[in-house]
Amino acid sequence: MMFHHAKSIASVARMSEATSGVGVAKLIPGIAPLTRATRITLLLSTCITVAGCNEKVAAPVPVRPVLSAVVAPASADNAFIVGTVQPQFKTDLSFRVLGRLVARSVNVGDNVDKGQVVAAIDPASLELAVRSAIADVSSAQAQLTNATGAEGRQRTLMETDATSKATLETAEQSRAAAQASVIRAQANLTKAREQLGYAQLKSDFAGVVTAINAEVGQVVSPGQAVVTVARPDVREAVIDVADNIAGALSIGMPFAVSLQLDPSIKAEGKVREIAPQADAVTRSRRVRITLDHPPETFRLGTTVTTVLAGAVVQGLRVPPSAILARDGKNFVWLVDPSSHTVALREIQSTKDDDGGVRVTAGLDAGARVATAGVHSLAEGQKVRIDQEATP
């Protein structure tokens, strides 16, 4: 480039020396003769113009806007979790035999006593079975009487040697078989009478009806739930929490529970059960909290809110779009708010059940990471933060 500039300046200089005032006037008609100062000014202007035309100016690198988020620890000590009041003990009452439902004396919300009949099926076939068993008992007893008499006669004849010993043994066996038949018939009668009692469905304990699963006229099979009875004296709060919160809970951990409609009404409770696995649909885990002497307003089915007492569940979570996978490792782009540049940081992470990513190492709370376009960023690239987002 400097070589071309020198040739241009030399050419202009030779032209200037060759053409003085009158010469220029002859070359360009209508122009007056130039003075020496004018020629020098023209020469410098020409040199500057030639140099400027040959020099290329580099375009500035544009500042790229990015979407970012500040990574903050998730806290559960101020989070209200909604749940419901449910009984700790409840039973689905069902018939033990097949039959058609002919009566149901309770509905949802009714109180029942221990041993109270709540439903009944048609007992006709069961009554016939009892009558048949009674007849079998009578027949077996008659056969036993006959066999006993035959044995007695053979024994008398044996004393006078009027019969053989084999005949006596046969009579004894017949009497023993008849006696066993009586025992079997009596057992069948007892069983038939017990099954007749199954025609009535009774409550095993005092409680309240919470569900009805069969109507009058319906044919119910053995084991099919007909009425659900719950004990209202032992109540618990049932909540569904995320997997990260459930992982920090333990059996016996205290909870504070309050009514959703009136938070001033509260009750204390302790964790009794934590579901070992997440629900297949909601990906949440169920936690049961046994309430300690709850007030009467904590009725079954009431909506309550729970607060984790004395514990904080922490964890750093980032959206999946912030993760850059490279060579079998996971990275994130850290955004420096002071210099407005990005830097690549390797992290250790695991996936949550709800689709998020939990950072286990390599990232501190309060760091700002890029959440979009992570595959097109470069180390030290200038960026512009156009939003404030917190995950």
Side-chain angles (χ1 to χ4, degrees):
M1 184 182 293
M2 296 301 296
F3 175 73
H4 291 295
H5 291 173
K7 289 181 63 178
S8 300
I9 295 172
S11 300
V12 175
R14 288 194 299 270
M15 180 180 178
S16 174
E17 293 294 337
T19 59
S20 57
V22 178
V24 174
K26 291 180 180 181
L27 294 174
I28 307 176
I31 298 180
L34 300 177
T35 63
R36 182 178 178 81
T38 304
R39 291 198 304 272
I40 294 173
T41 303
L42 179 61
L43 176 62
L44 295 175
S45 300
T46 304
C47 293
I48 294 172
T49 303
V50 172
C53 292
N54 288 277
E55 184 179 357
K56 296 182 179 180
V57 180
V61 179
V63 178
R64 177 179 175 178
V66 296
L67 296 176
S68 63
V70 176
V71 180
S75 176
D77 57 342
N78 294 325
F80 291 89
I81 306 173
V82 179
T84 57
V85 177
Q86 295 185 12
Q88 182 174 344
F89 304 103
K90 66 178 181 179
T91 301
D92 293 330
L93 301 180
S94 59
F95 290 99
R96 301 185 185 184
V97 293
L98 178 68
R100 183 175 63 89
L101 193 65
V102 295
R104 199 198 68 227
S105 59
V106 295
N107 292 300
V108 175
D110 293 346
N111 293 320
V112 296
D113 298 326
K114 182 178 180 179
Q116 178 179 341
V117 177
V118 297
I121 60 175
D122 188 2
S125 59
L126 300 176
E127 291 176 349
L128 292 176
V130 171
R131 294 175 60 183
S132 175
I134 293 175
D136 290 341
V137 170
S138 299
S139 175
Q141 288 177 345
Q143 291 179 4
L144 176 60
T145 302
N146 188 20
T148 302
E151 179 189 6
R153 288 192 296 272
Q154 291 297 325
R155 195 174 299 277
T156 302
L157 294 174
M158 188 64 184
E159 292 176 354
T160 59
D161 294 331
T163 187
S164 64
K165 186 174 181 61
T167 305
L168 176 61
E169 291 177 352
T170 301
E172 290 176 347
Q173 292 176 358
S174 299
R175 190 265 310 161
Q179 188 175 5
S181 297
V182 170
I183 296 175
R184 181 178 59 188
Q186 290 176 344
N188 289 336
L189 176 59
T190 303
K191 181 179 178 180
R193 287 174 175 172
E194 182 180 0
Q195 289 185 341
L196 179 59
Y198 294 161
Q200 293 183 339
L201 188 61
K202 300 179 181 180
S203 177
D204 296 331
F205 52 84
V208 59
V209 178
T210 59
I212 297 295
N213 302 306
E215 299 296 334
V216 174
Q218 179 179 347
V219 176
V220 293
S221 58
Q224 179 181 347
V226 177
V227 177
T228 301
V229 179
R231 288 180 54 183
D233 53 340
V234 183
R235 287 162 284 176
E236 57 187 13
V238 179
I239 60 176
D240 295 322
V241 299
D243 186 69
N244 62 321
I245 297 179
L249 301 180
S250 60
I251 302 299
M253 180 175 291
F255 264 84
V257 184
S258 60
L259 288 180
Q260 187 181 44
L261 297 179
D262 189 359
S264 61
I265 303 177
K266 299 181 179 180
E268 299 296 329
K270 294 182 179 180
V271 176
R272 181 183 67 87
E273 178 184 305
I274 302 174
Q277 62 183 7
D279 184 82
V281 178
T282 63
R283 306 310 302 167
S284 60
R285 295 170 63 181
R286 176 151 294 187
V287 179
R288 295 183 178 272
I289 306 168
T290 301
L291 301 177
D292 185 16
H293 302 291
E296 293 297 330
T297 51
F298 276 67
R299 299 181 179 89
L300 298 180
T302 304
T303 303
V304 294
T305 57
T306 62
V307 179
L308 189 62
V312 177
V313 179
Q314 293 184 347
L316 298 179
R317 300 180 71 251
V318 296
S321 59
I323 303 299
L324 174 62
R326 182 180 296 175
D327 298 330
K329 300 179 181 180
N330 292 332
F331 301 86
V332 294
W333 288 104
L334 291 181
V335 180
D336 189 352
S338 59
S339 61
H340 295 279
T341 58
V342 293
L344 197 62
R345 172 73 64 85
E346 182 181 355
I347 62 170
Q348 302 293 331
S349 62
T350 58
K351 290 185 178 181
D352 281 346
D353 291 334
D354 55 359
V357 177
R358 178 170 301 280
V359 179
T360 58
L363 196 61
D364 298 329
R368 181 179 288 276
V369 298
T371 58
V374 295
H375 294 84
S376 57
L377 294 175
E379 185 74 24
Q381 182 177 354
K382 288 283 186 178
V383 295
R384 184 177 73 249
I385 303 174
D386 289 341
Q387 95 295 334
E388 291 290 337
T390 301

